[in-house]
């Protein structure tokens, strides 16, 4: 950090002249940065050095060896090659998920922190691609610490704080807002031609600006009261660049979101039951009061229901157990909101692979079940909307596939234009 002393010392004129000379030298040296070729080569060199350093930090038991990482460094765009390498992603993910990871002296956390602070946008994307895993491991260890001596998570917190600080500077103390249509008007697009003149007795107009995220405050450490906000803002940084994230990173996030919500329960299939199927199954079995006269629960059915209730295991707000280990985490709105944005892209975004869509569908349904049990109105409304949009998109795709299988893809009931009669010119 540079410190500048201000005062009226006798040597102020000489220091001023030397300052101008240094400024001229700096401007001359900065001429190289304006050269596109020099900037390109500097970016390539920085990315190669980061990749070589990563290869030396990965444990010898990792699935990738130094030769494969060196081959990534030798490409024309090494940072982009590292981002799109599934082998490098799996190797670094295995190292980050190790029991001893995330401490203050973890070299991989130092590598992620320094890499994100670099000016190369592709290198920053590499760090963002590992954010789902970092957030998952960090939140799991915070809310479900090991019974033995807990491991320090300062390394993970430093990476999350770097993301949070960059987003705080980008927002510049402003809130993230969205315009809300005035529902008092007869139409969303209606605007009165002659607005009413304001009178002393008239009520003030309602604000039509909704706040998605309040202004961010700088944070020097991850406090327990600010943890959900810091992780949520970091996920917002991931969402802003989600179109450039590889599919395996999105798939990991969808799986982690399903784990955060808790185990599967009967509520996840609420939207998969159609009224037609329900009516056909129970036709003639209901009386005028809505109860069945001849409904009998067989022994096998009762055992099945009892087993499902046992598997549900949600009583008095207890956590659902998956594999004998409680994996649910608290999901306040400031953390759940960016999670739902990312899942919405994985469900409805363009060029999303089917595996990611299926994982996002499972995660949204589990989050809906979690919100239903927690009685969270905002979460219920948001997850229901995503499920309905997912169902509509699937039905439209199924209808399009059926139409394409039946013929040319056009509707047979659609009238076609009459062809103009052909006119032949005959020479005499």
């Amino acid at each position: 950090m540079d410190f500048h002393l201000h005062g009226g010392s006798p040597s102020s004129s000489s220091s001023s002249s030397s300052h101008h000379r240094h400024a001229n030298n700096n401007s001359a040296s900065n001429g190289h940065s304006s050269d596109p070729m020099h900037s390109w080569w500097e970016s390539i060199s920085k990315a190669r050095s980061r990749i070589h350093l990563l290869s030396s930090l990965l444990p010898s038991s990792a699935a990738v060896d130094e030769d494969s990482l060196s081959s990534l460094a030798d490409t024309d765009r090494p940072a982009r090659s590292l981002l799109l390498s599934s082998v490098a992603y799996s190797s670094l993910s295995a190292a980050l998920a190790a029991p001893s990871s995330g401490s203050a002296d973890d070299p991989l956390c130092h590598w992620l922190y320094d890499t994100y602070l670099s000016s190369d946008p592709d290198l920053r994307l590499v760090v963002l691609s590992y954010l789902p895993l970092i957030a998952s491991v960090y939140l799991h260890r915070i809310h479900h610490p090991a019974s033995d001596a807990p491991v320090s998570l300062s390394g993970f917190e430093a990476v999350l704080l770097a993301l949070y600080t960059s987003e705080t500077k980008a927002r510049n103390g402003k809130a993230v807002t969205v315009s809300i249509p005035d529902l008092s008007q007869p139409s969303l697009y209606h605007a009165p031609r002659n607005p009413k003149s304001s009178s002393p007795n008239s009520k003030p107009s309602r604000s039509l600006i909704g706040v998605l995220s309040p202004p961010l405050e700088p944070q020097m450490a991850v406090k327990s009261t600010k943890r959900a906000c810091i992780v949520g803002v970091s996920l917002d940084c991931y969402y802003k660049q989600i179109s450039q994230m590889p599919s395996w990173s999105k798939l990991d996030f969808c799986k982690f979101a399903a784990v955060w919500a808790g185990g599967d329960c009967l509520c996840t299939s609420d939207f998969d039951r159609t009224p037609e199927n329900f009516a056909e199954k129970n036709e003639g079995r209901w009386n005028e009061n809505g109860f069945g006269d001849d409904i009998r629960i067989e022994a096998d059915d009762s055992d099945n229901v009892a087993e499902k209730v046992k598997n549900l295991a949600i009583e008095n707000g207890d956590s659902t157990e998956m594999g004998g280990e409680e994996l649910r985490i608290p999901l306040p709105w400031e953390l759940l909101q960016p999670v739902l944005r990312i899942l919405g892209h994985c469900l409805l975004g363009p060029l999303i692979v089917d595996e990611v869509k299926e994982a996002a569908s499972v995660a949204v349904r589990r989050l809906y079940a979690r919100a239903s049990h927690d009685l969270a109105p905002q979460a219920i409304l948001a997850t229901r909307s995503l499920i309905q949009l997912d169902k509509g998109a699937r039905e439209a795709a199924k209808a399009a596939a059926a139409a394409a299988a039946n013929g040319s893809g056009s509707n047979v009931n659609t009238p076609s234009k009459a062809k103009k009669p052909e006119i032949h010119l005959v020479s005499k």
Side-chain angles (χ1 to χ4, degrees):
M1 182 179 293
D2 296 332
F3 295 92
H4 301 282
L5 301 178
H6 299 279
S9 61
S11 61
S12 60
S13 59
S14 60
S15 62
S16 175
S17 60
S18 62
H19 171 73
H20 286 297
R21 286 196 299 269
H22 285 299
N24 293 332
N25 293 334
N26 291 335
S27 62
S29 61
N30 289 337
H32 296 288
S33 61
S34 60
D35 185 8
M37 181 61 71
H38 178 77
S39 301
W40 173 81
W41 179 249
E42 184 180 5
S43 176
I44 294 294
S45 302
K46 185 182 299 183
R48 288 178 176 174
S49 63
R50 301 307 299 174
I51 292 176
H52 287 306
L53 178 60
L54 176 62
S55 64
S56 63
L57 297 178
L58 287 176
S60 58
S61 59
V64 62
D65 54 4
E66 295 186 6
D67 294 336
S68 59
L69 277 179
S70 300
S71 63
L72 297 178
D74 294 336
T75 58
D76 294 336
R77 301 182 64 183
R80 178 66 62 169
S81 301
L82 179 62
L83 174 66
L84 301 179
S85 173
S86 59
V87 178
Y89 179 84
S90 60
S91 303
L92 186 52
S93 298
L96 290 174
S100 59
S101 64
S103 60
D105 55 351
D106 187 356
L108 291 178
C109 291
H110 283 277
W111 185 88
L112 291 170
Y113 180 85
D114 295 335
T115 303
Y116 188 78
L117 293 183
S118 64
S119 58
D120 193 323
D122 287 339
L123 287 176
R124 295 166 71 94
L125 291 177
V126 171
V127 179
L128 285 176
S129 66
Y130 294 96
L131 182 59
L133 178 65
I134 295 174
S136 178
V137 175
Y138 173 73
L139 292 176
H140 173 69
R141 294 180 183 176
I142 284 291
H143 296 292
H144 306 288
S147 57
D148 50 355
V151 181
S152 173
L153 300 176
S154 301
F156 286 155
E157 291 179 347
V159 178
L160 294 173
L161 279 174
L163 296 170
Y164 178 86
T165 303
S166 65
E167 184 65 14
T168 303
K169 293 180 180 179
R171 296 187 185 182
N172 196 21
K174 298 179 181 179
V176 179
T177 59
V178 61
S179 298
I180 302 176
D182 189 0
L183 300 181
S184 63
Q185 300 295 334
S187 171
L188 297 177
Y189 307 100
H190 175 76
R193 295 182 179 179
N194 299 321
K196 297 180 180 180
S197 59
S198 59
S199 59
N201 297 328
S202 62
K203 296 182 180 180
S205 59
R206 293 179 299 174
S207 176
L208 300 179
I209 300 297
V211 179
L212 292 179
S213 177
L216 300 178
E217 301 176 356
Q219 302 292 333
M220 301 301 296
V222 182
K223 302 178 182 178
S224 59
T225 56
K226 296 294 183 180
R227 181 179 294 118
C229 176
I230 292 174
V231 177
V233 171
S234 302
L235 293 177
D236 269 331
C237 297
Y238 181 87
Y239 174 73
K240 288 183 178 179
Q241 304 293 337
I242 193 169
S243 61
Q244 304 188 60
M245 292 293 106
S247 59
W248 43 83
S249 177
K250 299 176 186 179
L251 180 62
D252 276 353
F253 179 85
C254 295
K255 293 180 178 179
F256 295 146
V259 172
W260 296 344
D264 200 357
C265 73
L266 300 179
C267 298
T268 58
S269 59
D270 284 349
F271 293 87
D272 298 328
R273 305 190 189 105
T274 60
E276 295 80 5
N277 296 338
F278 187 80
E280 291 177 0
K281 184 177 180 180
N282 300 282
E283 184 177 0
R285 302 178 66 186
W286 306 98
N287 58 19
E288 58 183 4
N289 296 324
F291 297 96
D293 295 328
D294 58 344
I295 295 180
R296 298 290 184 270
I297 299 180
E298 303 296 337
D300 296 340
D301 296 338
S302 61
D303 295 341
N304 190 19
V305 171
E307 185 66 24
K308 289 183 177 179
V309 172
K310 182 179 179 181
N311 292 336
L312 181 59
I314 298 179
E315 291 185 13
N316 300 325
D318 293 341
S319 298
T320 303
E321 294 187 2
M322 296 176 58
E325 185 178 6
E326 296 181 355
L327 300 178
R328 281 175 43 142
I329 64 171
L331 290 175
W333 183 245
E334 53 193 351
L335 175 60
L336 183 59
Q337 189 180 29
V339 169
L340 294 178
R341 289 179 188 169
I342 298 173
L343 291 178
H345 170 85
C346 296
L347 277 176
L348 308 170
L351 305 177
I352 301 296
V353 297
D354 293 338
E355 189 178 5
V356 175
K357 286 186 178 181
E358 294 298 331
S361 179
V362 172
V364 169
R365 281 166 168 76
R366 288 194 178 183
L367 288 172
Y368 166 75
R370 168 73 178 272
S372 300
H373 291 288
D374 291 348
L375 300 179
Q378 282 182 313
I380 292 175
L381 180 61
T383 50
R384 281 177 63 95
S385 301
L386 285 178
I387 293 174
Q388 295 288 5
L389 289 173
D390 179 35
K391 285 188 62 180
R394 290 175 184 272
E395 291 173 359
K398 190 180 298 183
N406 292 335
S408 59
S410 60
N411 192 351
V412 294
N413 297 325
T414 303
S416 58
K417 281 187 176 182
K419 294 183 179 180
K420 294 182 179 181
E422 297 181 358
I423 301 176
H424 302 279
L425 299 178
V426 181
S427 59
K428 295 182 179 179

